[in-house]
Amino acid sequence: MNLHEYQGKQILNSFGVDIQRGIVAQTADEAVEAAKKLTEETGTGWHVIKAQVHAGGRGKGGGVKLAKNLDEVKELAGQIIGMNLITPQTSAEGKKVHQVLVAEDVYYPGDNEPEEYYMSVLLNRATGRNMIMYSTEGGMDIETVAEETPHLIFTEEIDPAAGLLPFQARRIAFNLGLSGVAFKGMVKFVNALYTAYVKSDSSLFEINPVLKTSDDRVIAVDAKVTLDGNALYRHKDYLEMRDKREENPVEVEAGEVGLNYVDLDGNVGCMVNGAGLAMATMDLIKQAGGEPANFLDVGGTADAERVETAFNLILKDPNVKAILVNIFGGIVRCDRVAQGIVDAYKNMGTINVPIIVRLQGTNADIAKDLIDNSGLDVQSAIEFQEAADKVQAVLA
Ligand code: GDP
Ligand code: MN
């Protein structure tokens, strides 16, 4: 589950990670109130107004702006709230901004220049260990750094039994070129960050930039936090942080009825039981010259009601030109699924795209007869390839 920056920072701070402080606001007036309150708490006169959407690169898209007085807070918050923010990480249509974070300006002048670093915590799937990835080249595109100057990105792998060891946190601070107060601050920051990552059951932290302020404090200015959805039952309070407005509406709807649906860009809708078979089905659709419009695992019970719900979800996508149903009847009997498809189809009236149904396994032959004798515009197949060929034929 992805979080907004302000929510991510809240979690970080609850584990002792120092952050750029801020208050979230839904309107320009609330932003002004937030700025006043922050001034009381922090003494800052300048504020940054930051669009809260589930996408990075907001600065580049005009979603992060500096306000030097309350009039500017009001004006900039008014501009950003309601805007359609287009960044390198959104689709071409962009994302609608519903709220902003009013944050203290932390790039104030002082004895030293502020410096921006990159830091993330994530699982290295190749080694099965968490790692901290970091770089002196923060603030900008880490992707470009990885491509052009990969030697400037360091990693620290963490032994799951021992945890983050003191020498590792010191090595990070050393590699970032720090000394004195900033060195100590970074060691503390890294320790708190890693604790937060483990205790919150996160699957990704990306802090870009981590800032060394002009007076040598080390703080998180940005926070991209992804929580592990499978561990959310342990964090009821985090569950409330979900913002469905940021998610694909069809995926949200599918989740509510217990279907595993992922929206994709293609033209062939798929309804499959089992994630592995769904992946194989998407491969076969590609081989047949189509592109999958979705991943959909209907799971073990493919009765009429569930099939109808699944058809309705698939048909919400206007790009769908054909639907391929691919069910392996292991525990569920093929004839029951076939009956479910026939009932759902009849119940829905007309479906304007061709449907190809491939049922294999227990009672597959009875199921095929059921489909073929239903009088509906549904083509049946028993072999996988046969189904793919039929998809190719309807797309041609
Ligand atoms: P992103 O563009 O979505 O990654 O959003 P960030 O939170 O990283 O902010 C983008 C950029 O805004 C940062 O890299 C900073 O350069 C700038 N920025 C963030 N906070 C402040 C601040 O307090 N003062 C100033 N002057 N700039 C800031
Ligand atoms: Mn950032």
Side-chain angles (χ1 to χ4, degrees), residues 258-328:
L259 290 171
N260 207 340
Y261 174 96
V262 180
D263 192 36
L264 300 168
D265 293 330
N267 53 3
V268 182
C270 326
M271 187 193 311
V272 188
N273 67 337
L277 188 59
M279 299 297 281
T281 305
M282 298 193 322
D283 285 348
L284 208 75
I285 287 171
K286 272 196 169 245
Q287 271 186 22
E291 286 285 335
N294 65 275
F295 168 98
L296 173 58
D297 174 8
V298 292
T301 49
D303 57 11
E305 202 187 321
R306 213 166 163 74
V307 170
E308 190 177 332
T309 311
F311 274 141
N312 277 319
L313 283 173
I314 293 171
L315 290 167
K316 285 201 171 159
D317 181 347
N319 297 327
V320 168
K321 299 283 176 290
I323 297 177
L324 173 57
V325 180
N326 190 6
I327 303 280
F328 178 74

Side-chain angles (χ1 to χ4, degrees), residues 58 139 208-209 222:
R58 294 163 302 165
N208 189 21
D222 193 4

Side-chain angles (χ1 to χ4, degrees), residues 368-394:
K368 186 172 181 350
D369 285 345
L370 249 165
I371 300 273
D372 290 345
N373 298 327
S374 67
L376 301 173
D377 184 16
V378 180
Q379 303 182 44
S380 66
I382 288 184
E383 295 305 322
F384 205 161
Q385 189 58 49
E386 188 189 350
D389 292 344
K390 287 186 172 173
V391 170
Q392 192 170 23
V394 300

Side-chain angles (χ1 to χ4, degrees), residues 5 9 20 46-48 50-51 55-61 64-66 87 89 103-108 116 138-140 208-209 211 221-223:
E5 173 198 357
K9 280 177 167 171
Q20 174 194 42
W46 291 8
H47 299 89
V48 265
K50 310 179 85 179
R58 294 163 302 165
K60 281 189 187 142
V64 179
K65 295 252 168 81
L66 182 66
T87 86
Q89 292 184 21
E104 58 173 333
D105 170 36
V106 284
Y107 288 61
Y108 46 80
E116 296 180 318
M140 56 172 100
N208 189 21
L211 186 75
V221 167
D222 193 4

Side-chain angles (χ1 to χ4, degrees), residues 86-103:
I86 300 168
T87 86
Q89 292 184 21
T90 65
S91 65
E93 296 95 71
K95 283 202 144 208
K96 175 116 176 155
V97 181
H98 299 284
Q99 50 192 357
V100 291
L101 180 65
V102 181

